[in-house]
Amino acid sequence: MQIDKKDMQVKRIWTFAVSNGKRENNCYFLNADVIDDNIMLALFHSKFNHRFEIWKITRTGNSFKVKEAATTDGDLISNSSQVQGFTYSVAHTHKCYYIAFNDYLFKIDAKGNLANYYHFNAKREVEGLASYKSKIYIAMNKRAEVFDSNMAKQPQEQALKK
């Protein structure tokens, strides 16, 4: 969906199918990160293959080009939790993705490998992720709070800052 910045009205709506094979295997994205006016990264969980697929969607005019950018080797978490946040960080030489479930945050490298994971005990669930420069922002539920952290430089044990 494209929104006109001047009046905040819907300018265009597009639909397109994404599949890694047969049409009955279409991907339905529940999480995405808009990089700019023409690029979006979308996250798909393949229950059948037990992995997460990250797709790069590039728009040129009214056409879309879709390419699988990375895949994880496994489900990352074993309790069937839904993804509660997804973002892409371009701040460092080693570009990476972040995926959040409840009180876990997984750092995935550009190829889909698990680079690190973080656990924080806020006794609340994540409601969303965003990245800007070298910081990752985590929105929490219940009391509306946003945590920030420089995840690239912090060891796993160090807590997120409010």
Side-chain angles (χ1 to χ4, degrees):
M1 183 181 299
Q2 184 181 47
I3 307 294
D4 191 321
K5 294 177 185 177
K6 294 175 188 168
D7 59 11
M8 299 305 290
Q9 298 296 312
V10 174
K11 193 172 179 180
R12 288 186 177 85
I13 298 175
W14 297 279
T15 60
F16 53 91
V18 176
S19 178
N20 198 2
K22 298 177 182 177
R23 186 150 178 88
E24 59 264 16
N25 297 331
N26 281 356
C27 300
Y28 295 95
F29 303 115
L30 299 177
N31 302 89
D33 191 4
V34 176
I35 306 303
D36 60 31
D37 286 345
N38 300 308
I39 298 173
M40 178 172 60
L41 294 166
L43 183 68
F44 171 70
H45 182 234
S46 174
K47 291 180 184 179
F48 180 75
N49 293 320
H50 299 285
R51 67 182 190 185
F52 284 91
E53 300 171 359
I54 300 165
W55 293 79
K56 181 178 181 180
I57 302 166
T58 307
R59 180 179 71 90
T60 305
N62 287 323
S63 299
F64 292 85
K65 180 180 174 184
V66 181
K67 179 182 177 186
E68 191 176 277
T71 59
T72 66
D73 184 24
D75 290 315
L76 298 178
I77 199 159
S78 63
N79 65 5
S80 300
S81 290
Q82 296 295 312
V83 172
Q84 293 168 302
F86 170 69
T87 194
Y88 177 66
S89 176
V90 296
H92 305 285
T93 322
H94 303 291
K95 296 167 178 35
C96 58
Y97 309 96
Y98 291 91
I99 303 172
F101 305 85
N102 297 327
D103 51 359
Y104 282 91
L105 181 64
F106 292 87
K107 181 180 180 181
I108 309 297
D109 72 15
K111 294 180 181 180
N113 300 311
L114 177 64
N116 207 344
Y117 72 93
Y118 310 90
H119 179 253
F120 47 97
N121 188 8
K123 297 184 179 165
R124 295 180 286 156
E125 294 180 358
V126 171
E127 289 297 327
L129 290 178
S131 65
Y132 181 70
K133 295 188 178 179
S134 64
K135 294 204 181 248
I136 300 298
Y137 295 89
I138 303 172
M140 304 299 289
N141 73 348
K142 294 185 183 171
R143 292 187 326 261
E145 291 182 309
V146 175
F147 293 92
D148 74 6
S149 182
N150 184 340
M151 302 306 278
K153 295 181 182 177
Q154 288 186 337
Q156 180 178 335
E157 302 82 32
Q158 192 168 353
L160 299 171
K161 296 186 309 183
K162 229 163 102 176

